[in-house]
Amino acid sequence: AGMNGTAIENFVCVIFNVSFMNCTWHVGRTATEDTQYFLYWRPSEKEDITGCQNYIKDNCGRHTGCQFQNVTIANKNSYFLVNGSRSGQNIQPYEETIIISDYIIVEKLTPPLNVTVNCTEASHRCSISWQPPRTSHVKRSSCFKYEIVIENK
């Protein structure tokens, strides 16, 4: 259903600061200026579908993304639907059930928490410790790898 080339392309969601999520897309190849898109999201099979409340718009006023707040992702499967219309005609819908670890949803992590450095002059040694960053869905701290860069100033 819908005119060819009107479906969105390059759909990507990014989770940041643990509970915020931005989803963005490009308008379809044959989308005209009067094409309008609407995003619906279901975090898990047990939850209701939610429509976007805070759209990101391009210069033509078309919806090209959505900002979600207070996002919790307990389940790894999330359902997304982007549909819409142009000149009263339906466009091709974009539908996707996404596994959180897929490339479509990325999480930008916060820095590690409670970083402490203890140095002793006598032994010329330092001890550095921290706690893993907060995330929306990673529960095991063994999933993280860290790199420490020490600069001598």
Side-chain angles (χ1 to χ4, degrees), residues 27-138:
V27 299
R29 292 181 309 281
T30 63
T32 56
E33 287 185 11
D34 66 340
T35 302
Q36 192 55 278
Y37 297 98
F38 300 97
L39 172 64
Y40 300 92
W41 174 50
R42 184 176 63 207
S44 72
E45 291 178 5
K46 297 176 184 175
E47 296 181 62
D48 293 330
I49 291 179
T50 303
C52 177
Q53 300 296 313
N54 191 15
Y55 281 104
I56 301 165
K57 299 178 182 182
D58 68 7
N59 294 339
C60 298
R62 295 177 294 196
H63 299 159
T64 56
C66 182
Q67 298 173 326
F68 291 99
Q69 296 180 9
N70 302 319
V71 171
T72 55
I73 300 178
N75 189 322
K76 290 190 173 202
N77 294 329
S78 292
Y79 170 76
F80 293 90
L81 168 67
V82 180
N83 63 16
S85 64
R86 75 176 193 187
S87 301
Q89 297 178 322
N90 289 338
I91 63 162
Q92 287 180 315
Y94 171 88
E95 238 178 320
E96 190 81 50
T97 298
I98 297 172
I99 298 172
I100 298 303
S101 60
D102 283 357
Y103 65 93
I104 294 175
I105 296 187
V106 196
E107 184 166 10
K108 290 187 177 180
L109 299 174
T110 60
L113 304 169
N114 300 324
V115 177
T116 59
V117 179
N118 293 312
C119 297
T120 57
E121 230 178 281
S123 66
H124 301 290
R125 292 180 186 257
C126 292
S127 169
I128 304 171
S129 61
W130 59 87
Q131 293 175 333
R134 292 177 44 223
T135 74
S136 64
H137 66 284
V138 177

